[in-house]
Amino acid sequence: MIRNPRDLQRYNASERANHWIVGICFILLALSGLAFFHPALFPLVNLFGGGTWARILHPWIGVVMAVFFVIMFFRFASLNLMGGKDWDWLSKVGKMVDGNDHDMPEQGKYNGGQKLLFWLLTLCMVLITVSGVVMWRSQFDFPVGLVRAAVVVHAAAAAFMIGLIFVHVYAAIWTRGTIRAMLYGTVTRAWAKQHHRGWYRQMTGKD
Ligand code: HEM
């Protein structure tokens, strides 16, 4: 682990643990959920001790993820409120992906893309959790018509969310020096200055 006293603290240990509990639950839920989604993916149940265990564990892992997502939501929501600068950033994101980030408006702790993703993930979590509870027939007894609608909502929101997490992980890898923020909690000053200049100024008091 590279530790430089000049690095900036981006996440504390509790925030990182919170994030990784959600992340690990997400992976387990995606693997077990995909196994139920299509027969070709059914062998994935073997990772969970077979079909019956996968079916029992999936909703309970979902409860853990929902609880820790709610905590994460309250930790990060106020930092993800969208403003004019964020929409401006989003309208220019194509140029940045093409390698020109000179015209990008200055960003605070999070950029417009991260903020939009945060709210889309929140929407998915609400839809998946509510529909998941309705579908949980061993614990609840909702009318069958509602259960059927919930199955469709659950699958559609989960598929969309898997796509969003691909974008999230890809962006974290693509923006070099980001993953370590969630591993060790710190980022370099150069990283902060380049990607989140407003946050850099706030943290260092420098321009
Ligand atoms: C499973 C693989 C995942 C990886 C590798 C990953 C990686 C990261 C990294 C590196 C950051 C720091 C970004 C920064 O500080 O600029 C971050 C932030 C964050 N991640 Fe993840 N993540 C993963 C899964 C998830 C999942 C499943 C969720 C939620 C459902 C999630 C929600 C968040 C949130 C809310 C933040 C804070 C950014 C914000 O509030 O906009 N992550 N992630």
Side-chain angles (χ1 to χ4, degrees), residues 110-173:
Y110 298 116
N111 63 41
Q114 289 175 297
K115 291 182 181 181
L116 183 63
L117 196 93
F118 177 86
W119 295 108
L120 290 173
L121 285 174
T122 302
L123 175 69
C124 287
M125 280 303 295
V126 171
L127 292 175
I128 292 174
T129 308
V130 172
S131 58
V133 167
V134 172
M135 286 162 74
W136 201 357
R137 304 197 79 180
S138 65
Q139 307 295 322
F140 303 100
D141 192 16
F142 287 97
V144 69
L146 197 61
V147 174
R148 285 183 184 146
V151 173
V152 177
V153 171
H154 200 76
F160 187 57
M161 187 167 170
I162 290 172
L164 292 177
I165 293 298
F166 267 97
V167 173
H168 179 61
V169 175
Y170 186 80
I173 296 170

Side-chain angles (χ1 to χ4, degrees), residues 6-22:
R6 282 179 52 76
D7 287 347
L8 303 176
Q9 181 83 32
R10 196 156 164 88
Y11 297 104
N12 62 33
S14 157
E15 288 167 333
R16 269 141 51 210
N18 191 164
H19 174 265
W20 289 124
I21 291 171
V22 173

Side-chain angles (χ1 to χ4, degrees), residues 74-105:
F74 285 110
R75 283 186 146 145
F76 294 122
S78 63
L79 292 164
N80 283 282
L81 299 175
M82 307 270 305
K85 265 188 186 178
D86 300 310
W87 294 111
D88 190 21
W89 188 94
L90 282 167
S91 71
K92 293 178 175 152
V93 74
K95 267 192 183 176
M96 191 195 73
V97 172
D98 284 343
N100 173 9
D101 65 357
H102 297 297
D103 290 341
M104 300 309 279

